[in-house]
Amino acid sequence: DGFGLSPGITKEQRLGVEKLMKTAFGKFSGELAGEYYPLTGMDEKVRQQLVDDHFLFMSGDPNLQVAGMERDWPEGRGIFHNKEKTFLVWVNEEDQLRIISMEKGGDVLGVFKRLANGIKAVGDSVKEESGKDFMLDEKYGYVHSCPTNLGTGMRASVHIDLPGWTVAGVDKLKARCEELALQPRGTRGESGGQTGHTYDISNKHRLGYSEVQLVQTMIDGVNKLYEEDLELQKKLFSFPVIKSSHSLVAKHVTKEVWDKLCRHTTATSGFTLAKAIACAVEFDNQHCGIYAGDWDSYKDFADVFDPIIQEYHGISADAKHTSDMDFSKISGNINPAAPVHSTRIRVGRSIDGFGLSPGITKEQRLGVEKLMKTAFGKFSGELAGEYYPLTGMDEKVRQQLVDDHFLFMSGDPNLQVAGM
């Protein structure tokens, strides 16, 4: 209390908060004892270690910059952690204090107990040194710079593997978490996207519930998700009935191969073998019946893709593809007298680092579009033109693209089942 929050705090107030915290950290004992590392004048070896430990908060976030939270960077800011690296305090990042307790494994009770002891130690020291308390509003709870954190300001989370829910679908997991008052994220943070089958599961609410209630909600909810995941695994990882019984998928996805690969998820987009062969399972009219969700799919599920590709294209296992776009090597052309109505040549290209359509994440899809918008803006000569995004498309433009037979549409059952 008595200091501004990060968007409005003055330089003097920020240094005052840091001074109080340095005194508090010096009084910590037992498992809380550790060292404070100010960002100003930080030794490179210390900085790299904090980066390697994923402890260091960085400058450069556009939201924090526009909100005024990175003024006078890096003065008055720093990180404390105990010797075991299980208790951390960020000083003057988005909030005056971010107090964190963590450890490997699922001992939530132990982590919460350490957090409670740490908060009390900080509060007691600040009170003794300055006579000030934490800002606590009767209506809104503990005061933070962002209104979404009002109340407890607490986010209790675990990183847990949920392969069954991954195969069932992230949207279904999100809906189930909503019912359990939980929030699922990828392990790379709020905007990092989801890959693999490891999720960050946390309490959804901050305000209107006590810390104990929210931790209990998280524990009970995670245990329920785990129980349901085991049941989903029994159902989803059993060898599927492939309706397209004469397809290449039916020929090459044997039970032995399925049991070997069915639990694997790709790194780029979290794709699975079940998603890859969904069309062959759902429909009885597939010849090939398989799609790749990313470049990883061809490598990770090579036991399936390689024989299917070789049989479909009639190539050997050691074949090498050669690409040549040198048009000067083309000899001659179609006879002008031939009654040819039109000519069309198309190719597909996929950008490295992004998923393919069956597996691409929303963030990756938007990333591809962003790259292409930039590319289209650089076209010149006969290539110069205009990009028409489907989102928010004007009806007149839409109709013209339909009349020109240019517009691709939704509703294809194969693409829907394949996840495209």
Side-chain angles (χ1 to χ4, degrees):
D1 195 8
F3 298 93
L5 303 175
S6 290
I9 195 170
T10 66
K11 181 178 179 180
E12 293 73 21
Q13 289 171 345
R14 190 184 300 111
L15 292 171
V17 170
E18 184 184 41
K19 182 180 178 182
L20 280 175
M21 292 314 303
K22 285 180 177 179
T23 301
F25 297 145
K27 298 177 181 178
F28 285 178
S29 61
E31 72 167 339
L32 298 181
E35 189 171 347
Y36 176 66
Y37 303 93
L39 266 61
T40 303
M42 181 176 284
D43 179 78
E44 174 57 27
K45 186 176 180 180
V46 171
R47 190 197 69 82
Q48 188 57 55
Q49 185 60 56
L50 291 170
V51 169
D52 293 343
D53 290 333
H54 304 288
F55 289 173
L56 190 66
F57 58 90
M58 313 286 283
S59 63
D61 186 302
N63 289 313
L64 301 188
Q65 288 174 332
V66 170
M69 297 191 224
E70 293 194 0
R71 291 168 294 116
D72 309 309
W73 186 275
E75 278 195 290
R77 299 168 172 89
I79 300 166
F80 169 88
H81 68 71
N82 66 350
K83 295 174 184 177
E84 292 77 21
K85 300 182 179 180
T86 57
F87 181 72
L88 287 76
V89 182
W90 287 358
V91 178
N92 288 318
E93 193 242 2
E94 183 176 333
D95 288 308
Q96 290 176 6
L97 304 176
R98 282 281 175 96
I99 305 172
I100 305 164
S101 176
M102 62 186 186
E103 65 181 53
K104 296 290 187 182
D107 183 10
V108 178
L109 178 59
V111 171
F112 184 60
K113 180 180 178 181
R114 186 186 308 113
L115 178 70
N117 292 336
I119 292 171
K120 186 177 186 304
V122 172
D124 289 349
S125 177
V126 170
K127 182 73 171 180
E128 180 183 342
E129 182 76 11
S130 67
K132 299 179 183 297
D133 294 307
F134 294 134
M135 289 183 244
L136 179 58
D137 183 85
E138 184 178 349
K139 183 177 182 179
Y140 293 131
Y142 287 100
V143 176
H144 300 77
S145 63
C146 182
T148 62
N149 285 323
L150 291 173
T152 61
M154 189 186 74
R155 185 174 181 274
S157 67
V158 297
H159 284 186
I160 182 172
D161 292 342
L162 298 172
W165 278 110
T166 299
V167 176
V170 175
D171 289 340
K172 291 182 179 179
L173 174 60
K174 288 179 179 179
R176 183 62 178 128
C177 284
E178 183 72 23
E179 295 172 349
L180 297 170
L182 300 176
Q183 182 180 43
R185 294 180 181 178
T187 53
R188 294 182 295 181
E190 187 171 6
S191 58
Q194 171 60 32
T195 58
H197 56 235
T198 305
Y199 298 85
D200 179 303
I201 306 293
S202 68
N203 55 291
K204 178 184 177 182
H205 301 111
R206 308 283 186 272
L207 180 62
Y209 303 85
S210 73
E211 290 83 356
V212 167
Q213 286 176 309
L214 294 180
V215 170
Q216 192 65 59
T217 294
M218 188 271 281
I219 291 173
D220 295 343
V222 168
N223 284 335
K224 176 57 69 174
L225 287 175
Y226 173 62
E227 291 173 10
E228 293 169 349
D229 191 78
L230 293 177
E231 291 302 313
L232 284 168
Q233 288 185 49
K234 292 178 183 177
K235 177 181 177 182
L236 295 171
F237 295 148
S238 59
F239 187 56
V241 175
I242 300 172
K243 291 183 180 178
S244 291
S245 57
H246 299 291
S247 67
L248 295 177
V249 164
K251 180 177 180 180
H252 294 289
V253 180
T254 63
K255 187 177 187 305
E256 180 182 5
V257 171
W258 172 263
D259 289 342
K260 176 183 176 182
L261 300 174
C262 67
R263 286 173 171 78
H264 180 76
T265 57
T266 62
T268 300
S269 61
F271 208 62
T272 65
L273 181 59
K275 293 177 181 178
I277 66 171
C279 285
V281 171
E282 181 69 19
F283 303 117
D284 62 4
N285 60 352
Q286 304 289 298
H287 171 55
C288 192
I290 192 168
Y291 288 97
D294 43 32
W295 197 357
D296 310 15
S297 299
Y298 287 108
K299 306 166 189 175
D300 297 357
F301 305 128
D303 288 354
V304 174
F305 274 103
D306 282 354
I308 288 177
I309 293 167
Q310 290 158 22
E311 181 170 345
Y312 182 86
H313 290 281
I315 61 172
S316 63
D318 59 354
K320 302 290 184 183
H321 174 70
T322 300
S323 181
D324 188 352
M325 292 295 291
D326 184 357
F327 51 83
S328 68
K329 296 179 181 179
I330 300 295
S331 177
N333 211 332
I334 299 293
N335 187 331
V340 175
H341 290 265
S342 65
T343 300
R344 178 177 182 260
I345 303 176
R346 64 95 169 162
V347 299
R349 291 290 186 270
S350 303
I351 302 171
D352 193 10
F354 298 92
L356 304 175
S357 288
I360 193 168
T361 66
K362 180 179 179 180
E363 293 77 14
Q364 290 171 348
R365 190 183 300 110
L366 293 172
V368 170
E369 184 184 41
K370 182 179 179 181
L371 282 175
M372 293 314 303
K373 284 180 178 178
T374 301
F376 297 145
K378 296 178 181 179
F379 286 179
S380 60
E382 71 168 339
L383 297 181
E386 189 170 348
Y387 173 66
Y388 302 94
L390 266 62
T391 302
M393 180 176 284
D394 179 79
E395 175 56 28
K396 186 176 180 181
V397 171
R398 190 197 69 81
Q399 189 58 54
Q400 185 60 56
L401 291 172
V402 169
D403 294 343
D404 290 334
H405 304 288
F406 289 173
L407 191 65
F408 57 90
M409 312 285 284
S410 64
D412 185 302
N414 286 310
L415 302 189
Q416 289 175 331
V417 169
M420 297 190 235

